[in-house]
mmCIF file of all heavy atoms in Angstrom:
data_model
loop_
_atom_site.group_PDB
_atom_site.id
_atom_site.type_symbol
_atom_site.label_atom_id
_atom_site.label_comp_id
_atom_site.label_asym_id
_atom_site.label_seq_id
_atom_site.Cartn_x
_atom_site.Cartn_y
_atom_site.Cartn_z
ATOM 1 N N MET A 1 39.898 278.114 -51.918
ATOM 2 C CA MET A 1 39.080 276.992 -52.354
ATOM 3 C C MET A 1 39.594 276.437 -53.677
ATOM 4 O O MET A 1 39.610 275.233 -53.862
ATOM 5 C CB MET A 1 37.623 277.460 -52.474
ATOM 6 C CG MET A 1 36.676 276.375 -52.838
ATOM 7 S SD MET A 1 36.571 275.183 -51.513
ATOM 8 C CE MET A 1 35.337 274.132 -52.118
ATOM 9 N N LEU A 2 40.002 277.340 -54.554
ATOM 10 C CA LEU A 2 40.515 276.895 -55.852
ATOM 11 C C LEU A 2 41.811 276.119 -55.689
ATOM 12 O O LEU A 2 42.045 275.133 -56.393
ATOM 13 C CB LEU A 2 40.700 278.093 -56.783
ATOM 14 C CG LEU A 2 40.978 277.765 -58.241
ATOM 15 C CD1 LEU A 2 39.855 276.932 -58.831
ATOM 16 C CD2 LEU A 2 41.132 279.036 -59.037
ATOM 17 N N ASP A 3 42.640 276.541 -54.741
ATOM 18 C CA ASP A 3 43.886 275.821 -54.483
ATOM 19 C C ASP A 3 43.615 274.408 -53.985
ATOM 20 O O ASP A 3 44.324 273.467 -54.355
ATOM 21 C CB ASP A 3 44.742 276.563 -53.458
ATOM 22 C CG ASP A 3 45.296 277.869 -54.001
ATOM 23 O OD1 ASP A 3 45.448 277.982 -55.225
ATOM 24 O OD2 ASP A 3 45.567 278.769 -53.177
ATOM 25 N N LEU A 4 42.587 274.276 -53.165
ATOM 26 C CA LEU A 4 42.225 272.953 -52.660
ATOM 27 C C LEU A 4 41.805 272.033 -53.806
ATOM 28 O O LEU A 4 42.206 270.865 -53.859
ATOM 29 C CB LEU A 4 41.100 273.072 -51.635
ATOM 30 C CG LEU A 4 40.566 271.752 -51.092
ATOM 31 C CD1 LEU A 4 41.601 271.073 -50.224
ATOM 32 C CD2 LEU A 4 39.294 271.986 -50.318
ATOM 33 N N LEU A 5 41.007 272.556 -54.721
ATOM 34 C CA LEU A 5 40.572 271.742 -55.861
ATOM 35 C C LEU A 5 41.743 271.359 -56.761
ATOM 36 O O LEU A 5 41.815 270.223 -57.247
ATOM 37 C CB LEU A 5 39.520 272.501 -56.665
ATOM 38 C CG LEU A 5 38.184 272.710 -55.949
ATOM 39 C CD1 LEU A 5 37.266 273.563 -56.804
ATOM 40 C CD2 LEU A 5 37.539 271.384 -55.616
ATOM 41 N N LYS A 6 42.664 272.300 -56.974
ATOM 42 C CA LYS A 6 43.851 271.994 -57.783
ATOM 43 C C LYS A 6 44.700 270.915 -57.126
ATOM 44 O O LYS A 6 45.189 269.997 -57.786
ATOM 45 C CB LYS A 6 44.695 273.252 -57.985
ATOM 46 C CG LYS A 6 44.126 274.225 -58.963
ATOM 47 C CD LYS A 6 45.044 275.424 -59.108
ATOM 48 C CE LYS A 6 44.467 276.463 -60.033
ATOM 49 N NZ LYS A 6 45.345 277.645 -60.142
ATOM 50 N N GLU A 7 44.873 271.029 -55.812
ATOM 51 C CA GLU A 7 45.667 270.041 -55.091
ATOM 52 C C GLU A 7 44.994 268.677 -55.099
ATOM 53 O O GLU A 7 45.652 267.643 -55.259
ATOM 54 C CB GLU A 7 45.888 270.518 -53.662
ATOM 55 C CG GLU A 7 46.886 269.700 -52.897
ATOM 56 C CD GLU A 7 47.232 270.307 -51.563
ATOM 57 O OE1 GLU A 7 47.149 271.536 -51.416
ATOM 58 O OE2 GLU A 7 47.569 269.535 -50.659
ATOM 59 N N LEU A 8 43.675 268.651 -54.923
ATOM 60 C CA LEU A 8 42.930 267.390 -54.963
ATOM 61 C C LEU A 8 43.026 266.740 -56.339
ATOM 62 O O LEU A 8 43.272 265.533 -56.450
ATOM 63 C CB LEU A 8 41.472 267.632 -54.588
ATOM 64 C CG LEU A 8 40.557 266.411 -54.603
ATOM 65 C CD1 LEU A 8 41.002 265.399 -53.562
ATOM 66 C CD2 LEU A 8 39.129 266.821 -54.376
ATOM 67 N N TRP A 9 42.879 267.539 -57.391
ATOM 68 C CA TRP A 9 42.977 266.993 -58.745
ATOM 69 C C TRP A 9 44.384 266.472 -59.019
ATOM 70 O O TRP A 9 44.568 265.425 -59.627
ATOM 71 C CB TRP A 9 42.579 268.037 -59.782
ATOM 72 C CG TRP A 9 42.722 267.524 -61.167
ATOM 73 C CD1 TRP A 9 43.621 267.927 -62.099
ATOM 74 C CD2 TRP A 9 41.968 266.477 -61.781
ATOM 75 N NE1 TRP A 9 43.467 267.204 -63.244
ATOM 76 C CE2 TRP A 9 42.460 266.302 -63.075
ATOM 77 C CE3 TRP A 9 40.919 265.664 -61.346
ATOM 78 C CZ2 TRP A 9 41.946 265.351 -63.951
ATOM 79 C CZ3 TRP A 9 40.406 264.720 -62.225
ATOM 80 C CH2 TRP A 9 40.912 264.577 -63.506
ATOM 81 N N GLY A 10 45.404 267.200 -58.555
ATOM 82 C CA GLY A 10 46.782 266.742 -58.720
ATOM 83 C C GLY A 10 47.023 265.420 -58.012
ATOM 84 O O GLY A 10 47.699 264.531 -58.542
ATOM 85 N N PHE A 11 46.474 265.273 -56.809
ATOM 86 C CA PHE A 11 46.597 264.017 -56.071
ATOM 87 C C PHE A 11 45.924 262.875 -56.827
ATOM 88 O O PHE A 11 46.495 261.793 -56.967
ATOM 89 C CB PHE A 11 45.979 264.170 -54.684
ATOM 90 C CG PHE A 11 45.844 262.872 -53.935
ATOM 91 C CD1 PHE A 11 46.939 262.310 -53.321
ATOM 92 C CD2 PHE A 11 44.622 262.227 -53.860
ATOM 93 C CE1 PHE A 11 46.822 261.114 -52.627
ATOM 94 C CE2 PHE A 11 44.492 261.037 -53.179
ATOM 95 C CZ PHE A 11 45.600 260.481 -52.561
ATOM 96 N N LEU A 12 44.692 263.116 -57.285
ATOM 97 C CA LEU A 12 43.959 262.053 -57.997
ATOM 98 C C LEU A 12 44.681 261.652 -59.275
ATOM 99 O O LEU A 12 44.755 260.468 -59.612
ATOM 100 C CB LEU A 12 42.543 262.525 -58.316
ATOM 101 C CG LEU A 12 41.608 262.738 -57.125
ATOM 102 C CD1 LEU A 12 40.302 263.340 -57.603
ATOM 103 C CD2 LEU A 12 41.377 261.462 -56.374
ATOM 104 N N ARG A 13 45.218 262.625 -59.986
ATOM 105 C CA ARG A 13 45.900 262.333 -61.253
ATOM 106 C C ARG A 13 47.226 261.619 -61.019
ATOM 107 O O ARG A 13 47.548 260.659 -61.732
ATOM 108 C CB ARG A 13 46.127 263.634 -62.015
ATOM 109 C CG ARG A 13 46.527 263.419 -63.450
ATOM 110 C CD ARG A 13 46.668 264.710 -64.175
ATOM 111 N NE ARG A 13 47.731 265.470 -63.514
ATOM 112 C CZ ARG A 13 47.867 266.782 -63.582
ATOM 113 N NH1 ARG A 13 47.009 267.486 -64.258
ATOM 114 N NH2 ARG A 13 48.852 267.385 -62.971
ATOM 115 N N GLU A 14 47.988 262.056 -60.022
ATOM 116 C CA GLU A 14 49.301 261.471 -59.770
ATOM 117 C C GLU A 14 49.204 260.047 -59.244
ATOM 118 O O GLU A 14 49.976 259.183 -59.625
ATOM 119 C CB GLU A 14 50.051 262.337 -58.759
ATOM 120 C CG GLU A 14 51.453 261.870 -58.470
ATOM 121 C CD GLU A 14 52.170 262.799 -57.516
ATOM 122 O OE1 GLU A 14 51.926 264.018 -57.584
ATOM 123 O OE2 GLU A 14 52.953 262.290 -56.700
ATOM 124 N N ARG A 15 48.244 259.810 -58.361
ATOM 125 C CA ARG A 15 48.123 258.495 -57.729
ATOM 126 C C ARG A 15 47.183 257.556 -58.486
ATOM 127 O O ARG A 15 46.933 256.445 -58.043
ATOM 128 C CB ARG A 15 47.605 258.654 -56.298
ATOM 129 C CG ARG A 15 48.459 259.508 -55.409
ATOM 130 C CD ARG A 15 49.325 258.665 -54.534
ATOM 131 N NE ARG A 15 49.908 259.336 -53.390
ATOM 132 C CZ ARG A 15 50.842 260.264 -53.437
ATOM 133 N NH1 ARG A 15 51.259 260.717 -54.587
ATOM 134 N NH2 ARG A 15 51.358 260.770 -52.324
ATOM 135 N N LYS A 16 46.622 258.014 -59.605
ATOM 136 C CA LYS A 16 45.686 257.222 -60.419
ATOM 137 C C LYS A 16 44.485 256.765 -59.590
ATOM 138 O O LYS A 16 44.059 255.620 -59.640
ATOM 139 C CB LYS A 16 46.379 256.004 -61.023
ATOM 140 C CG LYS A 16 47.608 256.309 -61.819
ATOM 141 C CD LYS A 16 47.277 256.887 -63.161
ATOM 142 C CE LYS A 16 48.515 256.925 -64.019
ATOM 143 N NZ LYS A 16 48.846 258.240 -64.483
ATOM 144 N N LYS A 17 43.921 257.687 -58.809
ATOM 145 C CA LYS A 17 42.770 257.387 -57.953
ATOM 146 C C LYS A 17 41.502 258.018 -58.522
ATOM 147 O O LYS A 17 40.721 258.616 -57.814
ATOM 148 C CB LYS A 17 43.008 257.925 -56.538
ATOM 149 C CG LYS A 17 44.242 257.433 -55.873
ATOM 150 C CD LYS A 17 43.982 256.141 -55.174
ATOM 151 C CE LYS A 17 45.234 255.745 -54.402
ATOM 152 N NZ LYS A 17 45.215 254.407 -53.945
ATOM 153 N N PHE A 18 41.297 257.853 -59.817
ATOM 154 C CA PHE A 18 40.141 258.464 -60.460
ATOM 155 C C PHE A 18 38.824 257.876 -59.974
ATOM 156 O O PHE A 18 37.774 258.482 -60.124
ATOM 157 C CB PHE A 18 40.235 258.327 -61.979
ATOM 158 C CG PHE A 18 41.385 259.096 -62.562
ATOM 159 C CD1 PHE A 18 42.453 258.444 -63.142
ATOM 160 C CD2 PHE A 18 41.386 260.477 -62.518
ATOM 161 C CE1 PHE A 18 43.507 259.157 -63.667
ATOM 162 C CE2 PHE A 18 42.434 261.202 -63.040
ATOM 163 C CZ PHE A 18 43.505 260.538 -63.621
ATOM 164 N N TRP A 19 38.851 256.700 -59.366
ATOM 165 C CA TRP A 19 37.633 256.093 -58.852
ATOM 166 C C TRP A 19 37.085 256.872 -57.666
ATOM 167 O O TRP A 19 35.924 256.692 -57.302
ATOM 168 C CB TRP A 19 37.883 254.634 -58.471
ATOM 169 C CG TRP A 19 39.001 254.451 -57.487
ATOM 170 C CD1 TRP A 19 40.315 254.263 -57.779
ATOM 171 C CD2 TRP A 19 38.895 254.457 -56.062
ATOM 172 N NE1 TRP A 19 41.042 254.155 -56.624
ATOM 173 C CE2 TRP A 19 40.198 254.264 -55.552
ATOM 174 C CE3 TRP A 19 37.843 254.599 -55.180
ATOM 175 C CZ2 TRP A 19 40.461 254.222 -54.192
ATOM 176 C CZ3 TRP A 19 38.104 254.549 -53.820
ATOM 177 C CH2 TRP A 19 39.399 254.360 -53.349
ATOM 178 N N LEU A 20 37.886 257.750 -57.052
ATOM 179 C CA LEU A 20 37.400 258.563 -55.938
ATOM 180 C C LEU A 20 36.516 259.721 -56.402
ATOM 181 O O LEU A 20 35.755 260.268 -55.614
ATOM 182 C CB LEU A 20 38.583 259.134 -55.150
ATOM 183 C CG LEU A 20 39.340 258.167 -54.261
ATOM 184 C CD1 LEU A 20 40.564 258.851 -53.682
ATOM 185 C CD2 LEU A 20 38.457 257.666 -53.156
ATOM 186 N N THR A 21 36.629 260.098 -57.659
ATOM 187 C CA THR A 21 35.895 261.249 -58.171
ATOM 188 C C THR A 21 34.376 261.101 -58.010
ATOM 189 O O THR A 21 33.736 262.035 -57.510
ATOM 190 C CB THR A 21 36.272 261.513 -59.637
ATOM 191 O OG1 THR A 21 37.694 261.647 -59.719
ATOM 192 C CG2 THR A 21 35.626 262.772 -60.156
ATOM 193 N N PRO A 22 33.757 259.987 -58.406
ATOM 194 C CA PRO A 22 32.298 259.882 -58.209
ATOM 195 C C PRO A 22 31.896 259.914 -56.737
ATOM 196 O O PRO A 22 30.848 260.473 -56.395
ATOM 197 C CB PRO A 22 31.930 258.532 -58.832
ATOM 198 C CG PRO A 22 33.079 258.130 -59.642
ATOM 199 C CD PRO A 22 34.277 258.843 -59.132
ATOM 200 N N ILE A 23 32.715 259.348 -55.867
ATOM 201 C CA ILE A 23 32.404 259.360 -54.440
ATOM 202 C C ILE A 23 32.411 260.788 -53.918
ATOM 203 O O ILE A 23 31.503 261.202 -53.183
ATOM 204 C CB ILE A 23 33.413 258.483 -53.671
ATOM 205 C CG1 ILE A 23 33.288 257.029 -54.120
ATOM 206 C CG2 ILE A 23 33.209 258.609 -52.168
ATOM 207 C CD1 ILE A 23 34.379 256.128 -53.607
ATOM 208 N N ILE A 24 33.413 261.561 -54.290
ATOM 209 C CA ILE A 24 33.508 262.955 -53.857
ATOM 210 C C ILE A 24 32.334 263.759 -54.393
ATOM 211 O O ILE A 24 31.742 264.574 -53.677
ATOM 212 C CB ILE A 24 34.854 263.557 -54.296
ATOM 213 C CG1 ILE A 24 36.000 262.869 -53.539
ATOM 214 C CG2 ILE A 24 34.895 265.056 -54.058
ATOM 215 C CD1 ILE A 24 37.370 263.197 -54.058
ATOM 216 N N LEU A 25 31.964 263.537 -55.644
ATOM 217 C CA LEU A 25 30.839 264.267 -56.231
ATOM 218 C C LEU A 25 29.520 263.950 -55.530
ATOM 219 O O LEU A 25 28.717 264.850 -55.278
ATOM 220 C CB LEU A 25 30.731 263.959 -57.726
ATOM 221 C CG LEU A 25 31.810 264.573 -58.611
ATOM 222 C CD1 LEU A 25 31.649 264.103 -60.044
ATOM 223 C CD2 LEU A 25 31.773 266.073 -58.522
ATOM 224 N N VAL A 26 29.299 262.693 -55.193
ATOM 225 C CA VAL A 26 28.060 262.311 -54.515
ATOM 226 C C VAL A 26 28.000 262.945 -53.129
ATOM 227 O O VAL A 26 26.949 263.451 -52.709
ATOM 228 C CB VAL A 26 27.934 260.765 -54.436
ATOM 229 C CG1 VAL A 26 26.851 260.352 -53.473
ATOM 230 C CG2 VAL A 26 27.674 260.195 -55.812
ATOM 231 N N ILE A 27 29.125 262.940 -52.424
ATOM 232 C CA ILE A 27 29.152 263.563 -51.092
ATOM 233 C C ILE A 27 28.864 265.055 -51.198
ATOM 234 O O ILE A 27 28.096 265.608 -50.397
ATOM 235 C CB ILE A 27 30.510 263.294 -50.412
ATOM 236 C CG1 ILE A 27 30.618 261.822 -50.027
ATOM 237 C CG2 ILE A 27 30.705 264.181 -49.181
ATOM 238 C CD1 ILE A 27 31.983 261.404 -49.538
ATOM 239 N N LEU A 28 29.450 265.726 -52.185
ATOM 240 C CA LEU A 28 29.197 267.157 -52.370
ATOM 241 C C LEU A 28 27.742 267.436 -52.739
ATOM 242 O O LEU A 28 27.138 268.391 -52.238
ATOM 243 C CB LEU A 28 30.124 267.720 -53.443
ATOM 244 C CG LEU A 28 31.595 267.846 -53.049
ATOM 245 C CD1 LEU A 28 32.419 268.270 -54.251
ATOM 246 C CD2 LEU A 28 31.765 268.813 -51.902
ATOM 247 N N LEU A 29 27.159 266.609 -53.605
ATOM 248 C CA LEU A 29 25.766 266.801 -53.989
ATOM 249 C C LEU A 29 24.811 266.572 -52.820
ATOM 250 O O LEU A 29 23.848 267.324 -52.646
ATOM 251 C CB LEU A 29 25.407 265.872 -55.153
ATOM 252 C CG LEU A 29 25.994 266.258 -56.504
ATOM 253 C CD1 LEU A 29 25.693 265.171 -57.536
ATOM 254 C CD2 LEU A 29 25.438 267.583 -56.959
ATOM 255 N N LEU A 30 25.071 265.561 -52.010
ATOM 256 C CA LEU A 30 24.229 265.326 -50.845
ATOM 257 C C LEU A 30 24.347 266.471 -49.843
ATOM 258 O O LEU A 30 23.344 266.889 -49.255
ATOM 259 C CB LEU A 30 24.593 264.003 -50.171
ATOM 260 C CG LEU A 30 24.135 262.743 -50.883
ATOM 261 C CD1 LEU A 30 24.686 261.503 -50.172
ATOM 262 C CD2 LEU A 30 22.630 262.686 -50.952
ATOM 263 N N GLY A 31 25.548 266.973 -49.660
ATOM 264 C CA GLY A 31 25.738 268.117 -48.768
ATOM 265 C C GLY A 31 25.000 269.339 -49.263
ATOM 266 O O GLY A 31 24.360 270.051 -48.488
ATOM 267 N N ALA A 32 25.087 269.606 -50.567
ATOM 268 C CA ALA A 32 24.381 270.750 -51.141
ATOM 269 C C ALA A 32 22.871 270.574 -51.021
ATOM 270 O O ALA A 32 22.144 271.531 -50.738
ATOM 271 C CB ALA A 32 24.775 270.928 -52.606
ATOM 272 N N LEU A 33 22.383 269.357 -51.204
ATOM 273 C CA LEU A 33 20.948 269.087 -51.076
ATOM 274 C C LEU A 33 20.461 269.364 -49.663
ATOM 275 O O LEU A 33 19.410 269.982 -49.464
ATOM 276 C CB LEU A 33 20.655 267.637 -51.462
ATOM 277 C CG LEU A 33 19.211 267.181 -51.383
ATOM 278 C CD1 LEU A 33 18.381 267.935 -52.409
ATOM 279 C CD2 LEU A 33 19.122 265.695 -51.613
ATOM 280 N N ILE A 34 21.237 268.954 -48.684
ATOM 281 C CA ILE A 34 20.849 269.192 -47.288
ATOM 282 C C ILE A 34 20.871 270.677 -46.962
ATOM 283 O O ILE A 34 19.963 271.201 -46.319
ATOM 284 C CB ILE A 34 21.763 268.384 -46.345
ATOM 285 C CG1 ILE A 34 21.452 266.907 -46.476
ATOM 286 C CG2 ILE A 34 21.598 268.840 -44.905
ATOM 287 C CD1 ILE A 34 22.411 265.997 -45.745
ATOM 288 N N VAL A 35 21.895 271.376 -47.421
ATOM 289 C CA VAL A 35 22.000 272.810 -47.138
ATOM 290 C C VAL A 35 20.868 273.584 -47.812
ATOM 291 O O VAL A 35 20.258 274.473 -47.207
ATOM 292 C CB VAL A 35 23.377 273.347 -47.577
ATOM 293 C CG1 VAL A 35 23.403 274.861 -47.583
ATOM 294 C CG2 VAL A 35 24.468 272.808 -46.679
ATOM 295 N N LEU A 36 20.575 273.258 -49.053
ATOM 296 C CA LEU A 36 19.542 273.984 -49.784
ATOM 297 C C LEU A 36 18.128 273.666 -49.303
ATOM 298 O O LEU A 36 17.222 274.469 -49.494
ATOM 299 C CB LEU A 36 19.658 273.695 -51.288
ATOM 300 C CG LEU A 36 20.913 274.248 -51.950
ATOM 301 C CD1 LEU A 36 20.982 273.799 -53.399
ATOM 302 C CD2 LEU A 36 20.961 275.760 -51.853
ATOM 303 N N SER A 37 17.955 272.513 -48.694
ATOM 304 C CA SER A 37 16.604 272.138 -48.253
ATOM 305 C C SER A 37 16.300 272.607 -46.839
ATOM 306 O O SER A 37 15.187 272.376 -46.356
ATOM 307 C CB SER A 37 16.431 270.628 -48.340
ATOM 308 O OG SER A 37 17.238 270.003 -47.365
ATOM 309 N N GLN A 38 17.217 273.251 -46.171
ATOM 310 C CA GLN A 38 16.963 273.761 -44.812
ATOM 311 C C GLN A 38 15.815 274.767 -44.858
ATOM 312 O O GLN A 38 15.833 275.707 -45.626
ATOM 313 C CB GLN A 38 18.207 274.448 -44.255
ATOM 314 C CG GLN A 38 19.352 273.523 -43.984
ATOM 315 C CD GLN A 38 19.156 272.694 -42.740
ATOM 316 O OE1 GLN A 38 18.485 273.120 -41.816
ATOM 317 N NE2 GLN A 38 19.743 271.527 -42.743
ATOM 318 N N GLY A 39 14.838 274.530 -44.032
ATOM 319 C CA GLY A 39 13.725 275.463 -43.940
ATOM 320 C C GLY A 39 12.694 275.340 -45.053
ATOM 321 O O GLY A 39 11.821 276.183 -45.168
ATOM 322 N N SER A 40 12.783 274.333 -45.856
ATOM 323 C CA SER A 40 11.785 274.177 -46.917
ATOM 324 C C SER A 40 10.831 273.039 -46.565
ATOM 325 O O SER A 40 11.030 272.295 -45.616
ATOM 326 C CB SER A 40 12.463 273.897 -48.261
ATOM 327 O OG SER A 40 12.970 272.585 -48.285
ATOM 328 N N ALA A 41 9.800 272.886 -47.354
ATOM 329 C CA ALA A 41 8.814 271.841 -47.114
ATOM 330 C C ALA A 41 9.351 270.458 -47.474
ATOM 331 O O ALA A 41 8.785 269.447 -47.085
ATOM 332 C CB ALA A 41 7.559 272.124 -47.932
ATOM 333 N N VAL A 42 10.450 270.408 -48.197
ATOM 334 C CA VAL A 42 11.023 269.135 -48.632
ATOM 335 C C VAL A 42 11.914 268.528 -47.553
ATOM 336 O O VAL A 42 12.204 267.339 -47.582
ATOM 337 C CB VAL A 42 11.832 269.355 -49.934
ATOM 338 C CG1 VAL A 42 12.376 268.057 -50.487
ATOM 339 C CG2 VAL A 42 10.969 270.023 -50.979
ATOM 340 N N ALA A 43 12.334 269.320 -46.589
ATOM 341 C CA ALA A 43 13.293 268.878 -45.577
ATOM 342 C C ALA A 43 12.881 267.592 -44.849
ATOM 343 O O ALA A 43 13.715 266.701 -44.694
ATOM 344 C CB ALA A 43 13.566 269.995 -44.590
ATOM 345 N N PRO A 44 11.640 267.440 -44.392
ATOM 346 C CA PRO A 44 11.298 266.187 -43.687
ATOM 347 C C PRO A 44 11.457 264.947 -44.557
ATOM 348 O O PRO A 44 11.820 263.880 -44.055
ATOM 349 C CB PRO A 44 9.836 266.384 -43.296
ATOM 350 C CG PRO A 44 9.625 267.842 -43.293
ATOM 351 C CD PRO A 44 10.543 268.398 -44.334
ATOM 352 N N PHE A 45 11.222 265.063 -45.842
ATOM 353 C CA PHE A 45 11.360 263.910 -46.725
ATOM 354 C C PHE A 45 12.818 263.547 -46.947
ATOM 355 O O PHE A 45 13.173 262.378 -47.065
ATOM 356 C CB PHE A 45 10.662 264.184 -48.055
ATOM 357 C CG PHE A 45 9.200 264.451 -47.906
ATOM 358 C CD1 PHE A 45 8.694 265.732 -48.114
ATOM 359 C CD2 PHE A 45 8.324 263.448 -47.523
ATOM 360 C CE1 PHE A 45 7.354 265.994 -47.964
ATOM 361 C CE2 PHE A 45 6.976 263.694 -47.367
ATOM 362 C CZ PHE A 45 6.480 264.972 -47.584
ATOM 363 N N ILE A 46 13.671 264.549 -47.027
ATOM 364 C CA ILE A 46 15.103 264.295 -47.217
ATOM 365 C C ILE A 46 15.685 263.676 -45.951
ATOM 366 O O ILE A 46 16.461 262.729 -46.007
ATOM 367 C CB ILE A 46 15.832 265.594 -47.598
ATOM 368 C CG1 ILE A 46 15.392 266.023 -48.990
ATOM 369 C CG2 ILE A 46 17.344 265.392 -47.570
ATOM 370 C CD1 ILE A 46 15.913 267.369 -49.413
ATOM 371 N N TYR A 47 15.306 264.198 -44.782
ATOM 372 C CA TYR A 47 15.832 263.657 -43.542
ATOM 373 C C TYR A 47 15.338 262.243 -43.301
ATOM 374 O O TYR A 47 15.992 261.469 -42.618
ATOM 375 C CB TYR A 47 15.467 264.570 -42.367
ATOM 376 C CG TYR A 47 16.184 265.883 -42.410
ATOM 377 C CD1 TYR A 47 15.504 267.085 -42.269
ATOM 378 C CD2 TYR A 47 17.553 265.946 -42.632
ATOM 379 C CE1 TYR A 47 16.156 268.299 -42.313
ATOM 380 C CE2 TYR A 47 18.214 267.141 -42.688
ATOM 381 C CZ TYR A 47 17.519 268.315 -42.523
ATOM 382 O OH TYR A 47 18.173 269.488 -42.590
ATOM 383 N N ALA A 48 14.211 261.874 -43.850
ATOM 384 C CA ALA A 48 13.717 260.506 -43.706
ATOM 385 C C ALA A 48 14.607 259.519 -44.459
ATOM 386 O O ALA A 48 14.667 258.343 -44.096
ATOM 387 C CB ALA A 48 12.286 260.415 -44.215
ATOM 388 N N LEU A 49 15.318 259.985 -45.475
ATOM 389 C CA LEU A 49 16.210 259.111 -46.230
ATOM 390 C C LEU A 49 17.425 258.704 -45.405
ATOM 391 O O LEU A 49 17.999 257.643 -45.620
ATOM 392 C CB LEU A 49 16.673 259.801 -47.507
ATOM 393 C CG LEU A 49 15.611 260.085 -48.549
ATOM 394 C CD1 LEU A 49 16.209 260.895 -49.689
ATOM 395 C CD2 LEU A 49 14.992 258.801 -49.061
ATOM 396 N N PHE A 50 17.818 259.556 -44.488
ATOM 397 C CA PHE A 50 19.024 259.288 -43.714
ATOM 398 C C PHE A 50 18.658 258.787 -42.344
ATOM 399 O O PHE A 50 19.341 258.438 -41.532
ATOM 400 C CB PHE A 50 19.884 260.554 -43.612
ATOM 401 C CG PHE A 50 20.283 261.071 -44.957
ATOM 402 C CD1 PHE A 50 19.719 262.200 -45.475
ATOM 403 C CD2 PHE A 50 21.241 260.403 -45.701
ATOM 404 C CE1 PHE A 50 20.084 262.685 -46.709
ATOM 405 C CE2 PHE A 50 21.621 260.869 -46.950
ATOM 406 C CZ PHE A 50 21.035 262.003 -47.450
#
């Protein structure tokens, strides 16, 4: 996993694609929110957003 992050950062730095960083972070945060809300009382409200 660490190698993947190093390679991704190297790609972003070399190609000057720093604008992709917020997009990647938002996707990761939404994924974590969905995973953490499985089986909780908040799940129906989160699924209503999508």
Side-chain angles (χ1 to χ4, degrees):
M1 183 66 175
L2 191 59
D3 291 334
L4 176 69
L5 292 176
K6 285 181 183 178
E7 190 172 332
L8 179 64
W9 178 248
F11 170 78
L12 293 174
R13 193 177 62 202
E14 183 177 325
R15 301 260 197 291
K16 305 285 191 238
K17 304 273 185 193
F18 295 113
W19 56 270
L20 286 174
T21 305
I23 297 170
I24 293 170
L25 288 176
V26 167
I27 290 171
L28 289 174
L29 287 174
L30 285 174
L33 180 65
I34 290 172
V35 167
L36 293 175
S37 69
Q38 292 285 331
S40 73
V42 184
F45 300 109
I46 292 173
Y47 291 130
L49 294 174
F50 301 107

